[in-house]
Amino acid sequence: MTSPTPKRRLPIGIQTFAKLREDNCYYVDKTGLAIDLIESGSAFFLSRPRRFGKSLLVDTLKELFEG
């Protein structure tokens, strides 16, 4: 019999990519889409309601640029 997989928590209120990974939270990896945004070379306006992950997206972009 195998042991059950430990449950991950939802990343409610977490706004940094590093913290999200450290806390082993659920995360939908959208780095491929972020790279597409970077390579398109356009300016983007992030108009979304509160709590829709804008800060997390910007922090993920920062982590991508820092390697």
Side-chain angles (χ1 to χ4, degrees), residues 29-43:
D29 186 10
K30 297 180 184 174
T31 52
L33 294 172
I35 291 170
D36 290 344
L37 284 174
I38 294 165
E39 291 175 347
S40 73
S42 298

Side-chain angles (χ1 to χ4, degrees), residues 1-66:
M1 186 167 143
T2 61
S3 61
T5 306
K7 290 187 178 187
R8 293 180 175 198
R9 58 187 212 106
L10 295 175
I12 297 170
I14 297 176
Q15 297 180 359
T16 62
F17 184 68
K19 179 82 171 145
L20 193 130
R21 290 181 49 121
E22 288 170 6
D23 290 354
N24 197 29
C25 295
Y26 281 108
Y27 176 70
V28 176
D29 186 10
K30 297 180 184 174
T31 52
L33 294 172
I35 291 170
D36 290 344
L37 284 174
I38 294 165
E39 291 175 347
S40 73
S42 298
F44 296 95
F45 177 69
L46 300 174
S47 175
R48 300 297 297 166
R50 293 179 62 209
R51 316 278 303 164
F52 262 74
K54 295 178 297 294
S55 297
L56 181 58
L57 172 63
V58 171
D59 189 70
T60 302
L61 291 173
K62 179 185 83 92
E63 294 285 337
L64 281 172
F65 281 112
E66 291 179 349

